[in-house]
Every structure is written in C-alpha cells, then in structure tokens.
Amino acid sequence: MSRRDEKRAEREDRLAEEQAREVLMAKLSGRPVPRTGPAGPAGKGAESATKRSAKGSKGRAGGKSAPQPRELFVPPRGWYGPGGGRVGYLDPPTMWRATTVQACGMWPFAAGSGSPMTGVPLGQHLFTGATVCGDPLNWFTRARFISNPSLFMLGMPGLGKSTLVNRMLIGLAATGVVPLVLGDLKPDYADTVRALGGQVISVGRGRGGINVLDPGAMGAAAAKIGGSAGDVLMAEAHGRVLNMVAALITIVRGRPMDDHEQSVLSAALHHLREHTPSGRTVLLPDVLRVLNDGPDRVRSVTLDRGNDTRYRDAVDPLHRSLLGILDGPLGDTFASETSTHIDPDAPAVCVDISGIGEADTQLTAAAMLAAWSDGLGTVAASHALADAGLAPRRWFFTVLDELWRPLRAASGIVDRIDALTRLNRTLGLGDAKITHTLKDAEALGTDADRAKARGFVERAGMVVCAGLPQTEMEELGRVVGMSRREIELVSSWSSPPGWGVSADHDEPPGRGRFLIKVGGRPGIPIRVAITDAERRLHNTNTRWTTNEAAIERAAARATAEVARAAESGVRAIPGDGATPASHPDSVRRLPS
C-alpha cells in the first residue's frame, strides 16, 4: 500500500468513526438517528434526499416520521481512544534488492551487512568498531559461511600472524576443540599449549625421538575396539607406518622408493608384527635384522628363486637407505622408542621441533613428517573410538606455521598437506596454514609441487591478509578476488613506522591489522588488540630482549673478581674477554 492510499484509508476510518459516534449519541439522547453512507456522513445531496423522504413519509402517515433504527457501524481498525481496540497495522512494503550503485540514493552506505558474531572473538572492525568473531571450524559448522574448514594466512614478518592464530587456539580450546601444532618451528605455540594444560613434546637431536614404526594411538584404539573394526584400523595403521618409512627414505635418497622396495618393506613389517612378543615395540634396527636374515615371507616378494645373490641385489639398496636413516643426517632421532607419546585425551598438543637447526632441512622435514603421521594417527584413532561408541566425538584444529620452510624441505610434505586440505572435512579436522607471500610456493623444486602449493590458497575457506606489498596484493587479488580499495588498504599496512624515536617504540602501522576474505564477499578489516596474558604467552622476539638475570650475575662475578684482584695485588683493567670493553662490568687481569 502506498503512502497516499494509507492516508486515504485513515481519513475514511476517521469519518466512519465520527459517523458511528453521532449515531450512538443520537440513540442515547433519543434524537432521530442521522442517516449514514459508506463514505461518512451524507453530503448536501444526501441530506436533501433525506428531507424529501421524511416529508413524503410524513404526508403518507399524516404525522411525524418515526426514527429509523440502524446497525451501529464499527471502524475497521477499531475505535480511537483508550479501550477502543485501535490497531495501527501497516501492510508490509514491497522489498527490492539492488546494488549500492543502482540504489545509492536510497541506501548511501558502502556495505550494508553487519560483522559476523559466530566463533572466536578476533578483534574490532577497523571502520565501525563492531566486534568481529570467526574461525574456520565455527564458520564451517555453525555459521555455514565456508564450505571447507581451513584458513590460509599471508603477511610480512612481525605483523601479528601467529598472535591471531594463538587467539583462535585459545578460543577453540575453550569450546572443546583440540589444537594440534604438529611441528612448532620457532616455537610460537608451546607456551600457549602449556597454559591450556596441554602436552608439549620436544623432538630433535638429544631432545627426543619418534619411533616411526610405533602404531601409537591407532594401535591402542584397534586393540580396544577389537573385532573386524579393530582389524580394519590396524591395517590402516600398517599402511600409515609404511608410508612414513617410505617418506623418510625419500628424504635421505632425494627420490621416491621403487615399487618392489615398498613390497619388501611391507613384507618385513608384517613379519615383525607376527614374530614380535606382545608389549615390545618394533624399531627400525629390527627391520635391518629381518633384511639380513631373509625370512621366507620377505624372500618371496624379491623373486630370488632360492638364489641368495638375487635376494641381496634386491634388498641391498633398501638396506643402505635404512642405514642412512639411522646413522646418517637424521642421527638417532628415529632409531629408538618414542620419547613421549601423544596423549589422546590432552586438551592441546604441540610437537616442538625448534631445537633443529635452520640449515638441517632433512631432519626438519623428517621430524615434521613423523609428527604429522603420529598426530593424524591420533585423530583417526579418536574418531574410530567415537564411531564405536567408546569415546565422545572430538574436533581438532591443526596449525602449520612458517609454511615455506617445510615446503622446501621435501616434496613429501607438499603431498601430505595437499591431501589434508582435500580431506579435512572427512577427518573432522580444521587447519590453519601461515606463510609470508605467494612466492613461497614458486620456490619449490617441481612444477607439480608449485601447482599443489598454489591450490592451498584457492581451496582455503578463509583467507586472512596482513600487510603485503602492492605487487603481492595484485597477484593475490587475481587468486582470491579483491577490489582496488582492499588491495590499497592491505598494501598500506606494509609501510614501516616513522623515523621519530620515542620512548613508546612506535609499532608498524600494519601490526595487528588483518583483512578476512571469504569467497566473493567484501573483505572484513579488523584490528586485534592483545591482552597482557597473550603478550606474555606469545613473544616472537624473545632473543632480542634483555636478560636482566644474566646481567646481574655477570656484574656480581665482575665485582667478586675485582675484590679478589685487590686482595692479591693484581690490577683489574676493563675490556678483557668476550664482553665489550665499553661494558661497565667487564674486567681484564694484568700483572701489576
């Protein structure tokens, strides 16, 4: 109904109400009831007709005309006034949908939708100040904003990427989701996991090892489930172990295993499972022993036909590669039993591999592959127990930070992450991948690996951008789909702080600012302000902070040395040793 029709209806209602009120007052006072019409009180023409009718009636009856009783008229919307039952309804207006260009005069706003409020509180909208919530799991399960529970984050170093993911870990852990950091390279998440009451496992030379032949949580779950379901889970655990050993051999060799070598390795693992006493874990040195002994089950897949020379020719390359794992660049990290098993009931898990050197790429790749194999095996065991009704259903959220480093370590990492991004909905597993730029994928060795790495961004449900240069944003815009305004906004966050020196140590303008992109929707710019507790838990610049305790100990040692020198008659001169001569606590002892 238009505004004009609405006003006309109101006028008719008021006229009808006045007419009904006159009729009522006439009946109460005993006066003649006035004649009414559908449009209100009669006009002059109607009044004349009434008079003529009254005269004719008077002439016919020979006396006064009697009042004509009429039915009381009730307005369609009720009476005005208290107790009148007046209903001021309005017909719903016709709704139209148009873009801001087509309807800019009626809706002069750049964006009409509000900020999402489902998920972990991330920060405030950069322009409106509204609270913005979100994470891959809640936007996939509850809000249905995305079709894949994954996040890909890009940005220059030092702008807060790990800080934002840490906040997601804390918020998701509060809702019962289990964070899994399967290969913390810095570490950025170990302190957060400890604060959540989770489990931190250190892996590296002299720190801890992983037995890649241990079925871990999958073996325990298979024994607990039993029956055919337990046998299926145990067969899956065998396949996972076989793939893990094959991946280690690929890292050592620099090329994949041959098909017949995988058959030999599988036969050796089956032989060990059948002949190892219950309660004892199989180790990689046991595989070497089986290859040396050459049991019938292993010989049968080598086609040696009883010729020992043919058998040795078939197994010696595999034997040498296994020796390279145990005594080569990987050290003894995978030669003994697992130092600490992943606790399936832990509220959070972090596998800390930060003790491995930056240049030790082979051990980094091997440790990360082993951690992912063990961690995803734990996820599969948890879901198998839940399917059997023996444990509650749990969701998991994995974090892969500094993605460029494991991607360059070995091609097996690319395949494993590629499989994860395609199957995480089936696994009940959300993930977050963090790197610096899209060019990290271009540095991979083969075209196939580069294509797989580019697919990580294309398949991600959420893409989060911190500050990036203009050229990087142009390239990302072709993959994700960004407007010119969004590209300029994120590019402005990559600017360095000003040259002015102040006591507050001005931060870069882009620190804590992110743009969240989901499909073709407009990006959501947010500002993240961390709390004091988060600041204590997450500081990636710990090596650049002053160690006050060490300085105090050095000063005490210098004071004691000066006192001893004074007692023995030796003169103390500043500037000796590794401590700079300008340091007030440094001394150098010379004969007096």
Side-chain angles (χ1 to χ4, degrees):
M1 179 183 293
S2 65
R3 185 60 181 169
R4 180 180 298 176
D5 295 337
E6 178 68 22
K7 289 183 176 180
R8 183 170 62 250
E10 288 187 2
R11 286 197 301 269
E12 292 176 356
D13 290 349
R14 288 183 180 276
L15 291 174
E17 182 181 353
E18 293 176 0
Q19 174 185 347
R21 186 180 292 110
E22 290 180 3
V23 171
L24 179 63
M25 295 301 296
K27 287 186 176 183
L28 293 176
S29 60
R31 292 185 287 103
V33 177
R35 187 176 179 179
T36 59
K44 291 183 179 180
E47 184 179 0
S48 301
T50 304
K51 290 181 178 179
R52 287 194 300 270
S53 175
K55 290 178 180 179
S57 176
K58 183 177 180 181
R60 289 191 301 270
K64 294 184 178 180
S65 61
Q68 299 293 327
R70 294 184 61 85
E71 184 178 356
L72 181 64
F73 180 79
V74 179
R77 296 193 188 183
W79 300 97
Y80 279 99
R86 177 73 178 176
V87 179
Y89 68 89
L90 291 175
D91 293 332
T94 304
M95 296 185 65
W96 302 88
R97 179 173 293 181
T99 65
T100 53
V101 175
Q102 296 169 325
C104 55
M106 294 181 289
W107 191 258
F109 303 105
S113 60
S115 301
M117 295 293 292
T118 304
V120 178
L122 301 179
Q124 291 180 309
H125 196 285
L126 195 61
F127 302 137
T128 66
T131 301
V132 177
C133 302
D135 61 81
L137 268 72
N138 281 292
W139 279 17
F140 173 72
T141 58
R142 295 171 55 197
R144 304 289 183 180
F145 292 154
I146 58 179
S147 59
N148 187 15
S150 62
L151 177 148
F152 197 95
M153 184 179 295
L154 303 97
M156 296 179 65
L159 296 183
K161 301 185 298 297
S162 302
T163 302
L164 181 62
V165 174
N166 258 298
R167 173 167 292 185
M168 289 187 184
L169 292 187
I170 296 172
L172 288 172
T175 62
V177 177
V178 181
L180 297 176
V181 186
L182 303 175
D184 196 354
L185 291 160
K186 288 187 177 179
D188 284 338
Y189 306 94
D191 290 339
T192 301
V193 171
R194 289 192 186 96
L196 294 173
Q199 182 185 29
V200 178
I201 303 172
S202 297
V203 175
R205 292 189 179 93
R207 298 172 178 267
I210 298 177
N211 178 17
V212 294
L213 304 185
D214 188 354
M218 293 188 72
K224 188 175 182 179
I225 294 172
S228 59
D231 294 339
V232 170
L233 188 60
M234 199 63 205
E236 184 181 347
H238 171 81
R240 190 179 295 273
V241 168
L242 179 62
N243 291 334
M244 186 60 234
V245 179
L248 292 182
I249 293 175
T250 301
I251 291 173
V252 173
R253 288 183 178 179
R255 64 175 181 83
M257 291 177 63
D258 296 329
D259 54 352
H260 70 276
E261 290 179 323
Q262 294 190 28
S263 300
V264 171
L265 180 60
S266 179
L269 292 175
H270 278 301
H271 177 82
L272 285 171
R273 300 291 182 202
E274 295 170 358
H275 294 83
T276 302
S278 178
R280 182 182 178 276
T281 306
V282 179
L283 303 175
L284 276 179
D286 297 330
V287 180
L288 294 177
R289 178 177 52 80
V290 170
L291 295 180
N292 264 331
D293 296 342
D296 293 339
R297 181 163 188 171
V298 178
R299 286 180 177 271
S300 63
V301 298
T302 62
L303 301 179
D304 65 328
R305 296 183 176 87
N307 189 332
D308 192 65
T309 302
R310 289 172 58 90
Y311 173 75
R312 294 301 168 189
D313 291 340
V315 301
D316 279 352
L318 177 60
H319 199 153
R320 284 192 294 269
S321 297
L322 291 174
L323 286 174
I325 294 176
L326 297 175
D327 300 323
L330 304 185
D332 59 350
T333 308
F334 307 101
S336 58
E337 294 190 6
T338 302
S339 55
T340 306
H341 289 86
I342 294 180
D343 182 7
D345 298 324
V349 177
C350 174
V351 180
D352 182 7
I353 61 173
S354 60
I356 302 175
E358 293 280 344
D360 205 344
T361 56
Q362 285 188 327
L363 183 55
T364 298
M368 183 161 289
L369 277 173
W372 275 81
S373 179
D374 197 12
L376 295 183
T378 303
V379 173
S382 175
H383 289 314
L385 290 172
D387 293 339
L390 301 176
R393 180 74 65 189
R394 305 178 79 191
W395 292 345
F396 299 85
F397 182 67
T398 63
V399 177
L400 184 56
D401 203 347
E402 300 294 334
L403 183 65
W404 62 271
R405 188 173 169 189
L407 286 180
R408 297 179 188 179
S411 60
I413 292 284
V414 182
D415 293 331
R416 187 167 292 273
I417 300 173
D418 180 63
L420 174 66
T421 59
R422 298 176 186 271
L423 300 175
N424 50 1
R425 290 182 300 172
T426 305
L427 297 174
L429 184 72
D431 70 273
K433 294 176 286 293
I434 309 172
T435 190
H436 295 146
T437 67
L438 285 179
K439 293 181 179 178
D440 294 334
E442 302 299 327
L444 299 180
T446 64
D447 293 337
D449 286 348
R450 286 191 287 270
K452 293 173 186 175
R454 285 193 295 268
F456 298 161
V457 185
E458 297 170 353
R459 288 191 300 273
M462 299 172 60
V463 177
V464 180
C465 304
L468 284 170
Q470 182 85 15
T471 55
E472 292 290 339
M473 288 303 301
E474 296 282 354
E475 183 176 355
L476 182 62
R478 288 190 289 269
V479 178
V480 179
M482 292 189 175
S483 66
R484 173 56 52 183
R485 178 71 183 101
E486 291 171 343
I487 292 176
E488 293 174 353
L489 176 65
V490 179
S491 300
S492 68
W493 296 340
S494 63
S495 304
W499 291 106
V501 179
S502 63
D504 295 334
H505 301 289
D506 293 340
E507 293 185 346
R511 180 170 294 175
R513 286 167 170 77
F514 303 92
L515 180 71
I516 303 175
K517 288 289 293 183
V518 174
R521 297 172 182 260
I524 305 174
I526 64 171
R527 179 178 61 251
V528 179
I530 63 174
T531 62
D532 292 337
E534 289 175 305
R535 189 175 289 106
R536 288 192 298 268
L537 289 175
H538 184 67
N539 182 11
T540 58
N541 297 325
T542 53
R543 296 293 177 88
W544 295 93
T545 56
T546 305
N547 193 338
E548 300 293 343
I551 293 177
E552 292 177 1
R553 287 195 297 269
R557 286 196 301 270
T559 303
E561 188 173 353
V562 170
R564 287 195 302 271
E567 294 175 358
S568 60
V570 179
R571 183 164 53 92
I573 299 177
D576 188 35
T579 308
S582 59
H583 198 286
D585 299 325
S586 61
V587 297
R588 180 162 58 95
R589 297 186 62 185
L590 292 176
S592 58

